[in-house]
Structures are given as C-alpha cells and as structure tokens.
Amino acid sequence: MSNMQEIDLAECTLRDANSQLQGEDVTGAWVIRNPRGRHALAVGLTAPVDVLVDGQAGYYAAGMNQRANVTINGNAGPGVAENMMSGRVHVSGNASMAAGATGHGGLLVIDGDAGARCGISMKGIDIVVRGSVGHMSAFMAQSGTLVVCGEAGEALGDSLYEAKLFVRGDVKSLGADCEEKEMTPQDLAHLQSLLDRAGITEYPADSFRLYGSARRLYHFHVDNAAAY
Amino acid sequence: MCGIVGLFLKNPALQPELGLLTAQMLRVMTERGPDSAGFAVYGGARHGQTKITVRGLVPSDMAAFEKGLLACAGTGVTFLSRDDHTVITVPTEHEKTVRQFIAAFGHGVSFVASGDSIELYKGVGLPEDVATRFNLAGMSGTHAIGHTRMATESAVTTAGAHPFSTGPDQCLVHNGSLSNHNTLRRQLVREGLTFETENDSEVAAGYLSWRLSRGERLDEALTASLADLDGFYTFVVGTRDGFAVLRDPVACKPAVMAETDDYVAFASEYRAFAQLPGIGNATVFEPEPQRVYHWEHA
C-alpha cells in the first residue's frame, strides 16, 4: 500500500481527481480518500491502473470503465460500472439499482446485495453478486453472465436475449420469455471460472440453476397479427 | 427529481442538534431540488397546547392579527416569528376558533400546519437560503423531515413546496410524480377534504390524512396507498411520534437509510449522510419497494 498514489477529495475537486486517473499513460495504484458518496467517481478510466475508492460511492462509480481495476471499499449507488467495456470493478458492500447496466465486458463483483434492475440491458459484461438481486434484474439482457449466489427478485430476465443467468437461491418470479435451462458441462465450467475469478469458494457450481431465453419473443408471430 | 431527507433521533442527547444536522443534509440535496425547499420539525409538545404554523404575516398586520387572536383565544397565546412564518401556540380548546380566525383574516396570511409538536416552514429559493431564513440550524426537536424541490407537476411557489400538511401533526414529502392525482383529488373533495394547490403530492398527503381520520394506522394507510396511488413515488411521512417511508413497486426514485444506536436517517442519496455523527459505523440500506418502514418514539 505504501507506493499507492493518493487523491484526497477533501482537498481536491472530483473533476481534478478523475482527470488524473483518465490519462492514457497513467500507471500504478491509486487510492481515493473521502469519497463521501460523491457521484461519478473513477469514471471513464482507460489505463490498466488499480484504483481503491476508500469509502461510499454515489451514482455511476467506475462507469464506462476500460481495463482499470476499481475497488470500492463500501457501498455503491445507482449505476455502478454502468456501460463497462473491460477491466474489473469490485464492490465490498451493497450496490444500488442498475448495477452493471448496459455493460459490454469486464467483470463486476458485488460482495453484498444488488438492488433492482441489476445487469439491465447487459451486452457482454459478467456480473457476480455474492448476495441477492432486486426486481427486474437482467431485463433485456443481451449477452454476458449474471451470477447470483443469493436470491433474485420479481421478473428475473424479462425480455431476455442470450445472456446466461445463474441463480443459487429462490427466484421470486421469472419475467416474460425467461425460463430455466438444462446446465451443460460448458455452462458449469463457465460458472466455475467466474466463481473462481470472484473469489467465491463456498458455493459449488452445481448448486446453481441456469435461466435463459425461451426465444419466443425473437420474431414476429403471425398469430399476433390481429394485435397490430 | 427532488431531494428528501429525514432524521429521527433515538438518543435524546442529540435533540439540540436536530436542526443543524437536518440543515446539513438539506443543503447537500440542493442539486436534486434547487427551486424551493421546506422542512417540518417536531418537538416541544406541551399538554393542552396546540402549535399552529402560519405564513405571510407581515409586520404591519401583526398588531391586528394579535388583537384578533387574543379576542378568540385569550391571554394564553404565544407567538414566534421566523422570517415570513409564525408559530402560534394556543390552548388546544381554542384551536378551532383560532383556525377560523386565521382562515378569515386575509392579508395574505395562510395556515400551514398544526398539531402538538409540528412546526412547518417552506419557501422558494436555494435550500441553504431557505434553511438560513428560518434558522433551521438553531432548531431542536425529536425528528425532522425536509425536501428540496425540482418542480415538475405544478408551479414553483411557496404553497407548492413540500412538506404538505393535511392533518394534525402530519406531513408528507414526495419524490416522484402521480398520474391519477386529479381523479383522486375529486374523490377526496367529495369526502370533504380541501386542497390548497394543484400539486400531486398534496393529494397523496390528503389521501393519507383521510385514511388516518377514519381510524386507520399509518402503516395501514400507506399499504392502502399502494393500490390507490398510480405513479412514481418515494414518500416520507411524519407524524407526532415518528416517521414512515414507502416506495412504489417500480422503485425508480432513490432512497437510502442509515441507522445507528442514536438515530435513523433517510435521504435520496447517501452523500446527504456524510456529515452525520457516527455514519461510518451505521447500518446503511435501501428500503425495499412496496414495504412500509416505520419508526416511532415509544
């Protein structure tokens, strides 16, 4: 920790802090002190740096992340790691609604619970939640993987495309066109690799269930013509 | 967008700081609602006395107002003015005649709230300026609820600022918008309620007051509102002894709570908590949709 470069938000502005971290030639390990729930912390990073947000984060923390490894040592507000492209974001506490929304790639790990609409419209991101997720999670999820070690709220995977949803606990209800799938050896291996990368050893991969798209909403169905 | 804050003190030692802590939280929520602000502070209940908050009383009308009040409530009346708001404390048996006097007085004076312990202040302008005008930081009490408004449904006026009080010691603040408020307002008017504004949130407050007046508990009234109110909302409702929180089923409007041995705090965003004492060790959580959360002093 001693070679960490420090940014103290009690002494500098958020814009200064983000500017320092957003440079393409920025390197090394950084810590952001006194975040105090501010919005848009460590957003738009493109270099493979390590950033520790030492406290509570507000909206859109680590949004649009590319290549950086961002750790939030606390809770995160709405939209953490939204539209992440690559890299890794780790929340040690809970995340609010829309965690990982529209993410294209990278890994988001939440040690606590995530709120409503976790992984909404995800497009390739992998999300691992050690706790539970709220209602409408993975709504319109297109690709990528959502792993939930706890429970899922109402309408999981509504209007789902080809994302894979692994849930260990109860699912309150499935959304339109989401159904339970048979788990193949490839699915199990993929889940195991995500659990390994998230540092989760206490839950065996075969204790999860897999949910995916029933593919009934993909195409226009002639029987519905009268509805238009 | 709007900002909501609430602070319910469990530890009486913090009561002298209630106003200061609430003012700090309110100021942080300025970005969510810069056009007007308001707050209800509960405290100082005395047996047999009712507090009535009015606004719009100007110094040139004060003498006539006092004279009229003394005529209908006798000498047991006290006044405390803060900017354009005045809190009048009257013997409870005279509350009805005093309310009639206020309604008839005119000169731009309007009734704001009444009850055993509620005082309610609101105005147009930046939250920090509104709080300073009324010296919120100097107020003490048991619990407080505040609101910073970014108007969507109706005009930016003092009357349209939150909180809304539509019953004794009751007030409501709202982040969101209701889509069936006109229908509901007409129904409630038929039930005998009156409304001061075209504001959707005032209808929600009136709805809850109507349910409470029929003998329902606050949690029952809030649960019923899930079926009868259509729209987006996070509500915080204050009563003489505590406050309650409810979010609509979709829960788009943010809400976060923090609880320690000393207090329960509510805010639209975590950063409003950053200056609360002991926040580092608080239990921080988001209220679930459709679930009524309720704290009361025993």
Side-chain angles (χ1 to χ4, degrees):
Chain A
M1 296 289 276
S2 59
N3 59 350
M4 273 182 142
Q5 300 166 83
E6 190 168 302
I7 296 172
D8 189 344
L9 283 172
E11 291 167 6
C12 74
T13 67
L14 176 68
R15 187 163 293 197
D16 287 343
N18 278 334
S19 296
Q20 282 194 70
L21 296 170
Q22 284 163 348
E24 295 203 350
D25 51 357
V26 64
T27 58
W30 296 73
V31 58
I32 298 177
R33 306 271 186 218
N34 292 308
R36 309 187 99 186
R38 280 186 182 82
H39 300 336
L41 290 160
V43 296
L45 307 191
T46 55
V49 288
D50 291 318
V51 177
L52 172 67
V53 177
D54 192 19
Q56 314 276 345
Y59 286 30
Y60 309 123
M64 302 179 286
N65 186 52
Q66 292 184 51
R67 302 201 291 167
N69 176 22
V70 180
T71 302
I72 295 163
N73 187 23
N75 299 328
V80 64
E82 57 117 28
N83 212 49
M84 176 154 70
M85 304 305 285
S86 61
R88 178 184 167 111
V89 175
H90 186 159
V91 180
S92 73
N94 300 324
S96 183
M97 61 178 113
T102 75
H104 289 249
L107 176 66
L108 168 62
V109 179
I110 297 162
D111 285 347
D113 297 326
R117 298 175 280 274
C118 178
I120 182 171
S121 196
M122 53 195 274
K123 299 172 174 69
I125 189 176
D126 293 317
I127 304 173
V128 181
V129 182
R130 197 182 279 266
S132 298
V133 296
H135 62 271
M136 293 298 276
S137 286
F139 176 51
M140 293 187 76
Q142 289 148 57
S143 65
T145 313
L146 173 64
V147 179
V148 182
C149 300
E151 298 174 357
E154 287 175 356
L156 175 74
D158 193 285
S159 306
L160 187 69
Y161 295 85
E162 290 308 303
K164 289 182 184 288
L165 317 178
F166 295 96
V167 183
R168 187 169 170 276
D170 291 337
V171 174
K172 198 162 186 189
S173 66
L174 293 174
D177 211 34
C178 182
E179 64 178 15
E180 189 172 350
K181 301 273 192 189
E182 192 98 1
M183 225 185 307
T184 66
Q186 289 85 351
D187 293 327
L188 263 180
H190 178 52
L191 171 60
Q192 188 61 57
S193 79
L194 283 174
L195 291 170
D196 291 346
R197 287 172 62 204
I200 292 174
T201 55
E202 62 268 47
Y203 305 126
D206 61 9
S207 65
F208 288 74
R209 290 163 178 253
L210 171 62
Y211 302 88
S213 174
R215 298 174 183 162
R216 285 184 298 255
L217 294 178
Y218 270 38
H219 305 293
F220 177 74
H221 199 289
V222 73
D223 290 351
N224 297 329
Y228 296 92
Chain B
M1 195 129 67
C2 282
I4 308 179
V5 301
L7 187 59
F8 171 89
L9 300 179
K10 299 190 213 171
N11 180 356
L14 280 175
Q15 288 182 8
E17 292 177 57
L18 177 74
L20 177 65
L21 296 170
T22 305
Q24 288 170 344
M25 294 169 77
L26 207 61
R27 185 175 55 77
V28 178
M29 288 295 95
T30 298
E31 285 129 333
R32 297 192 63 87
D35 66 42
S36 42
F39 48 88
V41 177
Y42 292 83
R46 282 184 295 156
H47 185 69
Q49 302 284 310
T50 296
K51 290 187 191 183
I52 301 174
T53 309
V54 299
R55 71 164 178 270
L57 190 56
V58 294
S60 57
D61 291 328
M62 198 62 167
F65 189 80
E66 275 188 38
K67 193 178 164 197
L69 264 190
L70 292 174
C72 59
T75 51
V77 182
T78 59
F79 293 83
L80 179 60
S81 285
R82 289 186 163 101
D83 197 60
D84 61 344
H85 283 48
T86 305
V87 175
I88 309 155
T89 307
V90 302
T92 301
E93 68 265 27
H94 296 310
E95 184 192 353
K96 195 174 171 191
T97 47
V98 169
R99 291 275 300 269
Q100 287 167 346
F101 166 74
I102 292 166
F105 185 75
H107 297 267
V109 174
S110 53
F111 168 83
V112 180
S114 74
D116 293 345
S117 67
I118 190 172
E119 295 182 14
L120 200 160
Y121 305 85
K122 54 190 186 178
V124 172
L126 285 173
E128 184 171 21
D129 296 339
V130 174
T132 302
R133 288 209 299 267
F134 299 121
N135 189 25
L136 170 59
M139 295 185 197
S140 62
T142 52
H143 52 297
I145 289 170
H147 186 271
T148 64
R149 182 167 187 234
M150 188 179 288
T152 54
E153 291 288 309
S154 59
V156 177
T157 59
T158 298
H162 301 219
F164 288 100
S165 180
T166 48
D169 278 312
Q170 296 161 22
C171 79
L172 172 139
V173 292
H174 173 206
N175 176 198
S177 58
L178 301 177
S179 43
N180 65 337
H181 63 102
N182 282 327
T183 304
L184 199 53
R185 187 187 291 109
R186 282 192 291 272
Q187 289 168 357
L188 292 169
V189 166
R190 281 199 290 275
E191 296 287 342
L193 276 79
T194 55
F195 292 92
E196 192 188 350
T197 69
E198 295 296 307
N199 189 286
D200 58 333
S201 311
E202 189 186 11
V203 176
Y207 172 85
L208 293 174
S209 295
W210 171 64
R211 289 237 166 227
L212 293 170
S213 71
R214 302 197 314 170
E216 289 186 16
R217 295 192 316 265
L218 181 60
D219 57 334
E220 291 172 331
L222 281 166
T223 301
S225 75
L226 285 165
D228 290 339
L229 299 182
D230 184 17
F232 297 116
Y233 50 87
T234 293
F235 292 136
V236 178
V237 179
T239 63
R240 191 188 64 177
D241 299 316
F243 77 55
V245 173
L246 178 68
R247 303 176 80 191
D248 72 70
V250 178
C252 282
K253 296 301 174 185
V256 59
M257 311 220 41
E259 183 162 14
T260 72
D261 290 341
D262 291 335
Y263 58 80
V264 179
F266 172 94
S268 298
E269 299 174 20
Y270 173 84
R271 58 199 173 116
F273 297 153
Q275 297 181 79
L276 290 177
I279 188 65
N281 297 317
T283 304
V284 177
F285 62 99
E286 291 194 348
E288 291 173 22
Q290 304 185 73
R291 180 172 158 192
V292 175
Y293 294 79
H294 192 202
W295 285 267
E296 249 182 21
H297 290 288

